Amino acid sequence: NPDTELRDDAICTTVSFLRGKPEAGVAVCRLVNSDGSFQRSVGVFPNLPQSLLSAFSLTSLLPNDLLVGPTTCARFDGTVSAPIDWASGAFMLFRREALDIIGGLDEQFFMYSEDTDFCYRAHRAGLGVWYVAETTVVHHWGGMNSISRRGMLWLHASQLLFLKKYYPWSCRWPLTVLKYVALLVRAPMYLLTGAVTGNPRLLEKSWYVVYVAARLLVTPWRYERGMTGPSRAWTEVWRSE
C-alpha cells in the first residue's frame, strides 16, 4: 500500500521466507501503527462462533484459541510466524505461480476484502498463507477513510459481498444477521463512551454505524459472477457518498 513504510529489510526477509517454505504461496509480515504499536491485521474466515463473539466484543474472553482461531483474539501479538486464514493486503508477497493459478484481485471488491478474497482462493488452490513475524512494516492506516462514514460503509459492504460470493444461504444468513447486530450493539457503546469521555470522534461513529446498517439493508449487494469491475451496488454507493 502507498501508506506503508518498509523496515528491517522487509521485502528480502519475506522473499527468503517464501523460498524456504515451498508450501507457502502467500506471505505477509508484522504490521505496526504509526506510533509503533502492534496492528492486528490477520484473521479467520467468517464463521458462526467468531461472528457471535465478535458481535458482542467477547473474543478476548475465550479461555483458549481453539474455537475461533488465534488471530481473532486480543492475545495474538504477532510475535510468532504461523499459517493463517487471511491477512491485510497492506503488505503481501506471493509466488508468481500463485498468481497464475488463482488470478489477480477480484475487481468486484472495489475497496476492502479483496485481500481476504485473494487468500481464500489461495487456500482453495492448496496454497498456504503465512504470517512472517521476523520483519515489520509500518502501516499508517486509514488515511482519507479513517473513522469516516464512507470507509465504514465500504468495509462492511465488502464483507457482505464476500459472504455472498462463497457462502450458501444457509450459512450466510446467520452471519449477515450477526453483522447487523454487531453494528447496532456498537452504536450505543460509542455514544455512551463518547459522551462520558467527551470524545467527538466516538460520537460521530455512533451515528455512522446506524447509517451503515440502514444503508446495507436498502442497497442490493450482489456478487455478479463473470463481471469485471466494481459491482453495480458499488457504483450506486460511490455516486451518493
Side-chain angles (χ1 to χ4, degrees), residues 82-93:
I84 57 174
D85 275 2
W86 65 266
S88 165
F91 178 85
M92 179 180 289
L93 271 67

Side-chain angles (χ1 to χ4, degrees), residues 31-88:
L31 297 183
V32 298
N33 296 304
S34 302
D35 61 2
S37 60
F38 175 64
Q39 184 176 119
R40 291 175 59 198
S41 57
V42 299
V44 295
F45 296 125
N47 62 74
L48 191 57
Q50 179 265 341
S51 296
L52 180 62
L53 292 168
S54 179
F56 298 98
S57 302
L58 296 177
T59 54
S60 62
L61 300 182
L62 287 175
N64 58 62
D65 299 334
L66 297 179
L67 184 60
V68 295
T71 57
T72 61
C73 298
R75 294 188 299 279
F76 181 77
D77 61 2
T79 58
V80 178
S81 296
I84 57 174
D85 275 2
W86 65 266
S88 165

Side-chain angles (χ1 to χ4, degrees), residues 126-174:
L127 301 170
V129 180
W130 277 76
Y131 175 87
V132 183
E134 287 77 18
T135 190
T136 300
V137 165
V138 181
H139 184 206
H140 305 287
W141 185 83
M144 61 184 293
N145 295 322
S146 181
I147 313 184
S148 71
R149 187 182 71 176
R150 178 177 61 180
M152 193 178 294
L153 176 59
W154 286 357
L155 172 65
H156 292 285
S158 286
Q159 292 172 350
L160 286 182
L161 202 62
F162 178 83
L163 293 178
K164 293 194 173 187
K165 180 176 180 179
Y166 294 111
Y167 288 58
W169 182 85
S170 59
C171 297
R172 187 174 67 234
W173 77 261

